[in-house]
Amino acid sequence: MWQLPGGRGGAWPRVDSRATPPEAIVMPFIPVRDLTTYYEIHSDGPRLLYITGTGGGLRRKPSVFDGPLPGHFTVLSYDQRGLGQTSRPEAVYTMADYADDAAALLDALGWERCLVMGVSFGGMVAQEFALRHGARIERLVLACTSAGGAHASYPLHEFHGMEPAARAAANLLVSDTRNAAIRDSDPARFQAMVDDAVALAAVGANEPGRVEGAGRQLEARRHHDTYDRLPTLGMPVYICGGKYDGIAPQANLETLHQRIPNSQLEFFEGGHLFLRQDPAAMEGVIRFLKGT
């Protein structure tokens, strides 16, 4: 588990929605384009597609299903190509691939339109999805993400291939700019944070093709660029981020806000994991998705 400044754990508390009857929780595999895709659907309510971030997989906890969203929506999330329990084709992955994968998953499940939320890399996928399949989105949340190109998020591909502890430390320092002070003032605490991050990243790490799949995702991320196309978006968009995020800094979110016509922007206390660090963040997301 990662740690917040001040020593508080960062996991979402368990919510009542996790007591959903088993028949209301779906966790199968499904053919999607050139993939066998692992997905989960939890709870009940308006339909929400939740797209995860760099290296994301639903086996890593806490996941979206451990947070408050399933208490308000029917949440669909999935392991993206190259990641988690979804297949890992030996090919070049593009942002168009990731966007079309999401659309094909909705087709396979019979979801014509829905709410969409993308976090970090998932926010990049969500932008591409909105540009290619915008009629399918009712309302869109872009969290801790960037437009790419000259306004790109931190180049996480530079960490790929690093020794696990070094990579975890580098990620911690860039994901929350306050973590450098913890490293310098309390090395033992910072080391515990590194150890927890290494353990989390180890889930499924020895599976065939895992390293290659993650690398292909990072390459797609490196070439993400929606800047010139964003003004064509027409759906309501909520852009949110953390004040101490070094991966998707405030300037990048402000750029998204300037480029997307029908958008609103809000910052919260936290880094790249602000959605877990500041309870007000998810409250804002839920209000927007419900149109209240």
Side-chain angles (χ1 to χ4, degrees), residues 106-206:
L106 295 185
D107 287 340
L109 296 173
W111 284 30
E112 182 62 32
R113 280 171 54 85
C114 61
L115 305 163
V116 175
M117 179 173 179
V119 179
S120 191
F121 174 80
M124 301 175 194
V125 175
Q127 291 169 53
E128 195 68 39
F129 177 81
L131 289 163
R132 295 171 70 84
H133 308 280
R136 307 192 70 162
I137 300 178
E138 296 170 2
R139 301 174 77 83
L140 174 64
V141 175
L142 301 176
C144 52
T145 192
S146 302
H151 310 275
S153 291
Y154 191 91
L156 294 178
H157 59 274
E158 295 179 356
F159 298 163
H160 190 60
M162 293 173 65
E163 183 272 329
R167 183 172 67 249
N171 269 304
L172 284 166
L173 292 173
V174 72
S175 67
D176 193 317
T177 57
R178 299 168 295 181
N179 285 338
I182 297 174
R183 177 200 59 190
D184 297 340
S185 65
D186 193 343
R189 180 182 165 201
F190 186 74
Q191 184 59 51
M193 295 165 63
V194 170
D195 293 343
D196 287 342
V198 169
L200 184 64
V203 176
N206 294 325

Side-chain angles (χ1 to χ4, degrees), residues 38-59:
Y38 176 81
Y39 73 98
E40 297 186 20
I41 299 176
H42 290 230
S43 203
D44 193 16
R47 291 174 170 178
L48 169 63
L49 172 65
Y50 184 96
I51 309 176
T52 56
T54 302
L58 293 176
R59 288 178 295 182

Side-chain angles (χ1 to χ4, degrees), residues 6 18-19 27 84 93 102 129 131 204 232 254 258:
R18 295 296 289 168
M27 297 181 288
Y93 300 169
F129 177 81
L131 289 163
T232 65
E254 289 164 353
Q258 292 164 5

Side-chain angles (χ1 to χ4, degrees), residues 201-253:
V203 176
N206 294 325
E207 295 170 351
R210 176 65 178 268
V211 172
E212 293 80 2
R216 293 181 183 115
Q217 184 204 34
L218 288 168
E219 275 300 295
R221 179 186 186 275
R222 185 162 72 93
H223 296 289
H224 165 69
D225 189 352
T226 57
Y227 181 86
D228 290 336
R229 295 175 287 156
L230 289 174
T232 65
L233 295 182
M235 73 286 294
V237 180
Y238 182 65
I239 302 163
C240 51
K243 296 178 181 178
Y244 309 101
D245 188 351
I247 294 178
Q250 292 188 44
N252 290 21
L253 298 173

